[in-house]
């Protein structure tokens, strides 16, 4: 059982400036819910009960969001507006939240390493809240849990991308082992189009085994001078211990304006149905 889900949420979100100057990117809403709440709901549905959030300066509102607001509770108690808090109250009752701060934003790998103190020596899930996943059936992380149960090694969610988009992702080279399931042989972070080993990109969902922390400790900074989780995972991939899973569902890159607008439109359309 994977008990903890880690949310690296310390990035600057520069693509959303000035909105993200004083507000975390993870708190941007799709309709009425902040991105990170969608992520927490997906983790809860997948059986995780501990939400471990790596924050940074200016991210206090994430902690406040998952805490009681006495004044607000008092104001709307027994009014018709109380129903708007039902979902978030349920989350707060079911999940435990813990936080640590990444002091310097040295990349996703470094954010995950910063989360070690919250995760301990157990396998854990990782959700990047700005990758918002929607599926008609089981959530993406729930699907991945099943793969983890079977293979007992790291699992990364993958999707096909156009070759001109490869430079935005970690791209894998892999052998098919079952329908939608791949054994990763190689991976490269943000390759140029010509250097991409395939069109299979890693998106913001991972299940990681705790040996990743020791590897991260010795991984050198990679592209953009950042500590890349892809570079660390490559060590485990070489041992055959990384599975790529082509998930069922839609991923919206809500860290980009296009993806954010698309998610907003699609969620609005679904709400109207
Ligand atoms: P991104 O590169 O998408 O986020 O990192 P960013 O840096 O905040 O966005 P831009 O490019 O400036 O607009 C992917 C995820 O990793 C987290 C981010 O918060 C995001 O969820 N992250 C990234 C950290 O927590 N720490 C880091 O040092 C870097």
């Amino acid at each position: 059982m994977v008990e903890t889900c880690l949310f690296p949420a310390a990035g600057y979100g520069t693509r959303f400036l000035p909105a993200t100057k004083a507000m975390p990117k993870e708190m941007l809403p799709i309709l009425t819910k902040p991105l990170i709440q969608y992520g927490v709901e997906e983790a809860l549905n997948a059986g995780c009960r501990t939400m471990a959030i790596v924050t940074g300066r200016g991210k206090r509102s994430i902690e406040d969001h998952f805490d009681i607001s006495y004044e607000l509770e008092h104001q709307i108690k027994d009014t018709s507006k109380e129903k708007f808090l039902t979902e978030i109250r349920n989350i707060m009752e079911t999940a435990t939240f813990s936080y640590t701060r990444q002091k310097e934003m040295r990349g996703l790998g470094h954010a995950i390493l910063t989360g070690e103190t919250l995760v301990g020596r157990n396998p854990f899930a990782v959700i990047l809240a700005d990758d918002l996943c929607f599926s008609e059936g089981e959530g993406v992380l729930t699907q991945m849990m099943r793969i983890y149960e079977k293979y007992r090694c790291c699992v990364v969610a993958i999707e096909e991308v156009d070759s001109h988009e490869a430079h935005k992702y970690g791209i894998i080279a892999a052998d098919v082992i079952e329908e939608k399931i791949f054994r990763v042989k190689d991976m490269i972070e943000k390759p140029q189009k010509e250097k991409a080993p395939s069109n299979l990109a890693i998106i913001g969902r991972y299940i990681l085994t705790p040996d990743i922390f020791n590897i991260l400790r010795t991984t050198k900074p990679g592209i953009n001078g950042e500590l890349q989780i892809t570079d660390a995972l490559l060590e485990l991939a070489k041992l055959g211990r990384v599975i790529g899973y082509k998930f069922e569902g839609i991923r919206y890159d809500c860290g980009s304006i296009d993806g954010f607008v698309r998610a907003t439109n699609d969620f609005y359309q679904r709400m109207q149905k």
Side-chain angles (χ1 to χ4, degrees), residues 32-231:
T32 55
K33 245 190 268 182
L35 285 169
I36 193 153
Q37 185 174 334
Y38 288 98
V40 166
E41 288 173 359
E42 187 182 328
L44 273 172
N45 287 333
C48 298
R49 288 293 170 269
T50 306
M51 308 299 151
I53 306 184
V54 179
T55 67
R57 286 178 294 284
K59 302 272 186 171
R60 271 276 305 277
S61 59
I62 297 178
E63 293 179 49
D64 291 339
H65 184 71
F66 295 109
D67 200 353
I68 293 172
S69 166
Y70 282 110
E71 200 179 314
L72 180 65
E73 296 271 343
H74 178 73
Q75 282 295 329
I76 67 170
K77 192 165 172 39
D78 300 327
T79 73
S80 61
K81 293 180 181 156
E82 204 172 357
K83 61 179 181 293
F84 298 128
L85 289 182
T86 311
E87 271 181 332
I88 184 75
R89 277 180 183 159
N90 287 343
I91 290 174
M92 284 155 51
E93 271 167 29
T94 326
T96 303
F97 291 84
S98 59
Y99 299 88
T100 190
R101 277 193 183 204
Q102 188 187 15
K103 294 187 202 73
E104 292 171 290
M105 305 344 164
R106 288 163 50 193
L108 177 58
H110 183 258
I112 291 173
L113 184 56
T114 305
E116 181 182 20
T117 172
L118 306 175
V119 167
R121 303 301 302 165
N122 298 304
F124 61 102
V126 177
I127 287 184
L128 306 187
D130 47 357
D131 264 350
L132 174 57
C133 290
F134 171 82
S135 80
E136 298 279 357
E138 284 180 326
V140 172
L141 195 59
T142 306
Q143 299 168 35
M144 293 170 71
M145 290 292 189
R146 261 209 309 281
I147 312 293
Y148 174 75
E149 289 302 322
K150 181 162 179 190
Y151 291 94
R152 296 270 155 190
C153 65
C154 294
V155 183
V156 295
I158 52 173
E159 74 173 19
E160 287 178 19
V161 296
D162 288 340
S163 60
H164 66 270
E165 303 251 47
H167 68 280
K168 298 181 185 167
Y169 298 94
I171 304 287
I172 64 167
D175 295 327
V176 183
I177 47 176
E178 283 184 58
E179 201 194 342
K180 294 176 183 294
I181 302 176
F182 299 79
R183 177 91 56 195
V184 180
K185 293 186 300 192
D186 196 6
M187 54 214 312
I188 164 163
E189 183 63 30
K190 298 187 174 58
Q192 291 162 355
K193 191 171 153 185
E194 312 72 50
K195 301 231 170 95
S198 75
N199 65 344
L200 297 174
I202 303 173
I203 63 114
R205 298 288 181 280
Y206 306 76
I207 296 174
L208 301 177
T209 48
D211 45 356
I212 197 74
F213 293 124
N214 272 341
I215 300 172
L216 278 167
R217 257 185 279 283
T218 55
T219 304
K220 301 261 180 305
I223 192 146
N224 300 337
E226 295 187 334
L227 184 45
Q228 301 289 353
I229 187 66
T230 312
D231 295 341

